[in-house]
Amino acid sequence: MAAEAPPPSTEKAKLPTPEEFTEVQESAEFGELRRSYRSFAFPLTVGFIVWYLLYVLLSNYAGGFMGAKLVGNINVAFVFGVLQFVSTFLIAWWYSKHAAAKLDPKAEAIKTRMEGGA
């Protein structure tokens, strides 16, 4: 037996005007949200691209180094390749933690104010 859900709200959400969007975009609160995002995302993006290009360049031009065996049949290239995946997942995890702690509360406050809840 399915639980009964409450009937949908007939109250329409307030839609912000273009002027309100512009006002919020120019606000200090939105600027802080944007700075918080950029100060996290841009350096990590640049760092990951450099790390990825290092891997590609070493694979192309440093075959001896990348082919060096570490343990059994595992070589430097394999370890670097696995580390590419590991670093991708770590960055995604780290970003989700950062967004939940720093970005989402600020964005939710702006959204609530824009929709007339504050």
Side-chain angles (χ1 to χ4, degrees):
M1 182 165 151
E4 290 189 35
S9 174
T10 56
E11 186 179 316
K12 289 210 170 210
K14 175 189 169 279
L15 296 176
T17 65
E19 292 80 19
E20 289 173 317
F21 275 111
T22 302
E23 181 182 320
V24 167
Q25 184 180 6
E26 294 170 351
S27 72
E29 186 180 22
F30 188 77
E32 177 58 33
L33 174 63
R34 189 173 25 215
R35 268 189 304 285
S36 185
Y37 168 75
R38 288 179 177 172
S39 68
F40 184 87
F42 288 179
L44 262 114
T45 300
V46 169
F48 185 79
I49 289 172
V50 168
W51 160 232
Y52 176 74
L53 289 176
L54 175 70
Y55 173 66
V56 170
L57 291 172
L58 286 174
S59 295
N60 282 322
Y61 300 110
F65 170 70
M66 294 297 272
K69 299 227 186 250
L70 298 175
V71 177
N73 286 329
I74 297 176
N75 61 16
V76 174
F78 179 76
V79 171
F80 275 25
V82 169
L83 287 175
Q84 288 288 315
F85 285 101
V86 171
S87 62
T88 299
F89 288 109
L90 284 175
I91 289 170
W93 172 79
W94 192 13
Y95 176 77
S96 72
K97 291 294 209 186
H98 172 75
K102 305 262 169 127
L103 304 178
D104 293 347
K106 293 175 186 176
E108 189 61 37
I110 292 170
K111 177 184 172 203
T112 301
R113 193 176 70 247
M114 290 287 290
E115 292 177 345

